[in-house]
Amino acid sequence: HMEKMIKSVDVIIVRIYILESSNLIKKIFDHLEKTVKIRGISLFRGLKGFGETGEHSSSVFDVRWDLPIIIEFFDSEEKVKIALEYLNTFIKAEHI
């Protein structure tokens, strides 16, 4: 019998690390989705994180929510390069 071949496509996956309180999340997501038309985008909320602005976490008693957010996207190398050219103008390189 013949084995089925699984079709695959090479993609580049990029992660952007940002805080929930950032006013850039919508700007980033809209650019990736509407301008570059990236193949896939996901947003993940972290439960706890640590970075240059200190530790970020939450408990049920916290009034403010400033959790880490990861924006992950993937597409062909060409489309990722287009997306990164713009994103690098306002996101620190170490956060991408």
Side-chain angles (χ1 to χ4, degrees):
H1 66 52
M2 230 171 147
E3 289 184 31
K4 289 187 177 183
M5 294 297 290
I6 297 174
K7 184 180 175 186
S8 66
V9 176
D10 287 338
V11 295
I12 306 252
I13 299 171
V14 177
R15 284 188 175 168
I16 299 169
Y17 297 90
I18 198 161
L19 290 176
E20 190 173 30
S21 62
S22 172
N23 58 355
L24 298 176
I25 295 170
K26 182 172 178 10
K27 179 178 179 178
I28 294 167
F29 198 92
D30 286 350
H31 178 73
L32 294 172
E33 179 186 20
K34 297 173 182 163
T35 305
V36 185
K37 298 185 184 341
I38 285 293
R39 183 176 294 166
I41 311 165
S42 296
L43 272 70
F44 302 95
R45 178 183 282 148
L47 297 177
K48 189 172 185 176
F50 179 83
E52 66 184 33
T53 57
E55 185 175 306
H56 299 273
S57 62
S58 185
S59 74
V60 293
F61 302 109
D62 283 342
V63 178
R64 82 185 225 300
W65 290 85
D66 196 14
L67 296 173
I69 297 286
I70 297 172
I71 301 171
E72 184 176 281
F73 67 93
F74 69 93
D75 211 319
S76 66
E77 184 176 355
E78 298 77 30
K79 280 206 162 169
V80 166
K81 281 182 182 179
I82 292 167
L84 289 178
E85 281 178 15
Y86 176 71
L87 296 175
N88 281 322
T89 65
F90 62 92
I91 300 173
K92 292 180 179 181
E94 61 267 23
H95 290 188
I96 299 176

